[in-house]
Amino acid sequence: TLRTRKLIARENEREVRSSTYVFLDISSSMRGGQWPGQKLDQGMNLTVDIVEQVLSRRDRVGLVTFDEKLYGSIEPGSTPRHFNRILHHLVGLSSVVDGELTEMDDADVERLAADYLLVQERLDFRKGRHVDSVSGVNTKLLHRWLRGVMRPAERELSTGAVNEGIVAPTQDPIRRYLQLKGVDIPYRVEARLGLKERGLSEAIDHMVRVAREPQEVIVITDLCGMMSLDGVLRAMRIAMSKRHRFRVLLLFTPDYYESDPDGDDELEPVVRELFTIADRSERAKIVSKFRSAGISVERIQPKPTRRLAPTRTV
């Protein structure tokens, strides 16, 4: 302005970018369906679709996974490397070894490890002076052996698929070793009623703490096992007061069970209808509470899913 002796104004248009979080329910009920894992696979593919859509707009997207507690969290990002982190975490959901979320207790895991090492390494940890009376495994000797092999095993076998985004990785060396070796520890079969809400509330609280800007939060869940939404709605109201927005994508369980062609022609439709009525009644109560709080709920129909290929070395 001084040099030209006349007023000069520069106008800059600020690019507005949005940020999205996907909350994915990874509970035992999500691992059911017509075939094992059907609903979770549907949820994972929905997650990938949403992530791709958000990134195509050059916006930021993050991921949270939960069951009875917060399991994984990847803060929003927008790069191809960030997309790979999300894919790694989704693939790793088939290798959960957390003691609170899996079917086996510590004694069962010790027996599983002893069986694996006997077959694969020809090492018998069922002998010696310190055999545990419950597991039947020489636990002291097993832990001493693990201390010597864990570091090279981590270097050789650790990948993003078993590390990315996990909030509290297992500190149990036996569970970690089995995870690295690709030995399956079955996910918990029975859902404990009323505890999934705790995990969702914890996930919301975590998002509010780490988010640096208002988020659109998309919750993908079947709502199974939820009893009281008081804690969840309280957490959502606090989040909404900070300008976060929520919507729920509902995977309605009866939609994921087709008629059995080999079943009883008369009995099967009756059982299916009773199952559907009961499930719809339970879900309707939860959906009504969400909608009363101003949160939209959309029922998602099943569709062919694409399997996410594992990327870890076994």
Side-chain angles (χ1 to χ4, degrees), residues 53-91:
Q53 290 170 14
V54 173
L55 293 180
S56 70
R57 304 193 302 262
R58 302 177 69 181
D59 289 332
R60 293 159 52 83
V61 62
L63 173 66
V64 164
T65 51
F66 70 94
D67 184 358
E68 292 182 0
K69 65 177 184 178
L70 172 65
Y71 178 70
S73 176
I74 298 176
E75 293 184 31
S78 58
T79 65
R81 185 171 180 272
H82 180 75
F83 182 45
N84 287 335
R85 290 187 67 210
I86 290 176
L87 289 180
H88 285 158
H89 183 73
L90 292 175
V91 170

Side-chain angles (χ1 to χ4, degrees), residues 244-281:
H244 300 297
R245 306 177 305 281
F246 290 87
R247 64 188 175 105
V248 176
L249 302 184
L250 170 61
L251 280 60
F252 183 57
T253 299
D255 291 341
Y256 291 82
Y257 288 88
E258 299 175 357
S259 299
D260 183 0
D262 300 322
D264 189 307
D265 290 340
E266 294 184 3
L267 183 60
E268 196 272 338
V270 174
V271 173
R272 178 178 173 80
E273 184 175 353
L274 290 172
F275 169 52
T276 303
I277 291 171
D279 211 79
R280 182 179 291 117
S281 175

Side-chain angles (χ1 to χ4, degrees), residues 216-234:
E216 179 185 7
V217 181
I218 303 172
V219 183
I220 301 173
T221 179
D222 58 6
L223 297 178
C224 289
M226 291 193 176
M227 306 292 289
S228 170
L229 281 186
D230 292 346
V232 172
L233 292 176
R234 183 163 50 249

Side-chain angles (χ1 to χ4, degrees), residues 95-238:
S95 304
V96 176
V97 297
D98 189 298
E100 295 180 58
L101 302 179
T102 48
E103 191 71 18
M104 293 181 168
D105 61 18
D106 290 344
D108 291 329
V109 170
E110 287 174 7
R111 281 191 290 269
L112 178 63
D115 290 342
Y116 172 82
L117 291 168
L118 181 62
V119 173
Q120 295 295 326
E121 306 289 345
R122 299 295 188 269
L123 299 173
D124 190 355
F125 287 94
R126 301 174 187 272
K127 299 177 180 178
R129 291 181 299 146
H130 301 285
V131 174
D132 184 79
S133 60
V134 177
S135 67
V137 176
N138 190 328
T139 306
K140 185 175 181 179
L141 187 62
L142 176 59
H143 278 271
R144 197 167 72 195
W145 181 82
L146 284 171
R147 284 197 295 272
V149 302
M150 281 302 292
R151 188 169 294 177
E154 289 280 3
R155 284 198 302 267
E156 179 185 0
L157 301 173
S158 182
T159 70
V162 293
N163 293 326
E164 293 284 10
I166 301 176
V167 173
T170 180
Q171 300 300 311
D172 185 306
I174 301 177
R175 290 178 182 270
R176 178 60 175 172
Y177 181 78
L178 293 176
Q179 185 183 51
L180 291 171
K181 287 292 187 177
V183 180
D184 182 44
I185 300 177
Y187 203 86
R188 191 185 58 247
V189 176
E190 295 294 329
R192 295 186 288 184
L193 295 178
L195 292 183
K196 191 187 292 187
E197 301 95 298
R198 181 180 67 183
L200 180 53
S201 298
E202 188 177 333
I204 295 168
D205 292 341
H206 175 79
M207 183 272 297
V208 170
R209 286 196 304 273
V210 302
R212 293 170 294 188
E213 56 192 333
Q215 304 287 324
E216 179 185 7
V217 181
I218 303 172
V219 183
I220 301 173
T221 179
D222 58 6
L223 297 178
C224 289
M226 291 193 176
M227 306 292 289
S228 170
L229 281 186
D230 292 346
V232 172
L233 292 176
R234 183 163 50 249
M236 284 182 167
R237 289 190 187 101
I238 292 172

